[in-house]
Amino acid sequence: MNRSSRKRRVAALRHLALLLAAALLLLPLVWMLSTSFKPLDEIMSGELHLLPRQWALLENYGKAFGSVPVLRFLLNGLIVCGAILGLQLLVAIPAAYALAKLRWRGRGGFLALVLLCLMVPHQAPAIPVYIGLHRLGLLDSYTALVLPFVFSAFGIFLLRQYFLTLPDDLIHAGRLDGMSEAAILWRVATPAAAPAIVAFAVFSVITHWNDLFWPLIVVSSPQLATPPRGIVFFRNDEFGTDYGAMMAMAVVITLPLVLLFLVLQRRFIDGITLSGLKG
């Protein structure tokens, strides 16, 4: 066997392994979509078949949109995720730039603190944060859903890694042109870091769109429910054991994330790849 044929065989095996891994990862989503098309008696029959024998698409999706305010849940998700992302970028971009391109006392200690924060799960400080919001009278509000996530250690670290890849000559040229440090940050460094910003935006939106833990604690009003919280609110009262309608609602709230990734996947991959080039 010559070298070229060996390389082709290795490449074919690699692609086969990737296809199998992708199939395993996509299987729950495919099964969720399939279940949303089936009537309840077929779902509960115990027989495993991907395509429904009797289609109940209109019935299930009609219940999802007619029985619960799905559009309100989606709007709340957009408001919360958009507010969190915007505030996170306002904090993370200047902090990451300062850690990557500026020389100041305490920079190493601050970076160590950021790395330490990466190891603390957001559930750990939930109780003191909840008590603080309660004393401020901010529970059951958009503020309670947004405020605890304004500081993102992951965002600072990711953008800092990307800013390290920017040539120092680019920063020095801006200073020679008389630009202030703030102007260099927002007009030079930030546009150049667009791939990393897009990558972080995808991570942030997916994380907070799918978050059930925090909304379950601080939100008690259906009008403020994010998509996962909305399913919990109405699964017993409205849906009962109607898993077809529940899966239809799950498909509706998952679809925006799939579309987001498909639109931004090239920038997302570039941002993740280039952010790890320099330590």
Side-chain angles (χ1 to χ4, degrees), residues 19-236:
L19 286 173
L20 291 175
L24 288 175
L25 291 174
L26 291 175
L27 182 59
L29 294 176
V30 173
W31 192 256
M32 176 182 69
L33 184 63
S34 172
T35 304
S36 71
F37 296 156
K38 298 176 181 178
L40 182 59
D41 57 348
E42 189 172 335
I43 296 172
M44 305 300 292
S45 66
E47 297 180 6
L48 296 179
H49 49 88
L50 186 61
L51 294 178
R53 296 174 179 174
Q54 181 180 353
W55 292 81
L57 188 150
L58 295 179
E59 178 184 353
N60 290 334
Y61 284 86
K63 288 181 181 179
F65 281 96
S67 301
V68 295
V70 177
L71 295 180
R72 180 68 191 184
F73 300 156
L74 295 176
L75 177 61
N76 290 337
L78 289 174
I79 293 173
V80 171
C81 292
I84 290 174
L85 176 61
L87 293 173
Q88 283 179 336
L89 290 177
L90 285 177
V91 173
I93 291 175
Y97 177 80
L99 288 172
K101 294 301 181 183
L102 301 181
R103 301 290 182 267
W104 45 281
R105 175 178 288 184
R107 187 180 71 159
F110 187 82
L111 177 59
L113 183 62
V114 170
L115 295 176
L116 179 63
C117 290
L118 285 173
M119 295 183 285
V120 178
H122 74 275
Q123 293 89 350
I127 293 177
V129 172
Y130 177 87
I131 294 173
L133 293 172
H134 173 69
R135 291 180 176 177
L136 293 173
L138 297 176
L139 292 178
D140 201 25
S141 66
Y142 285 126
T143 304
L145 291 169
V146 173
L147 190 60
F149 305 103
V150 170
F151 176 84
S152 172
F154 174 73
I156 294 174
F157 178 74
L158 179 68
L159 293 175
R160 181 246 181 195
Q161 294 300 105
Y162 195 94
F163 283 139
L164 286 174
T165 67
L166 295 181
D168 290 335
D169 292 342
L170 186 65
I171 308 299
H172 295 325
R175 291 169 181 162
L176 291 174
D177 288 341
M179 298 176 67
S180 65
E181 210 65 46
I184 294 174
L185 168 63
W186 296 111
R187 294 169 57 187
V188 178
T190 300
I197 292 174
V198 169
F200 172 67
V202 172
F203 278 119
S204 176
V205 170
I206 290 177
T207 298
H208 297 291
W209 184 275
N210 290 328
D211 184 25
L212 176 61
F213 174 80
W214 189 245
L216 194 63
I217 294 175
V218 299
V219 169
S220 58
S221 172
Q223 288 74 26
L224 294 173
T226 54
R229 182 69 172 102
I231 293 179
V232 174
F233 263 125
F234 294 97
R235 67 178 179 183
N236 293 325

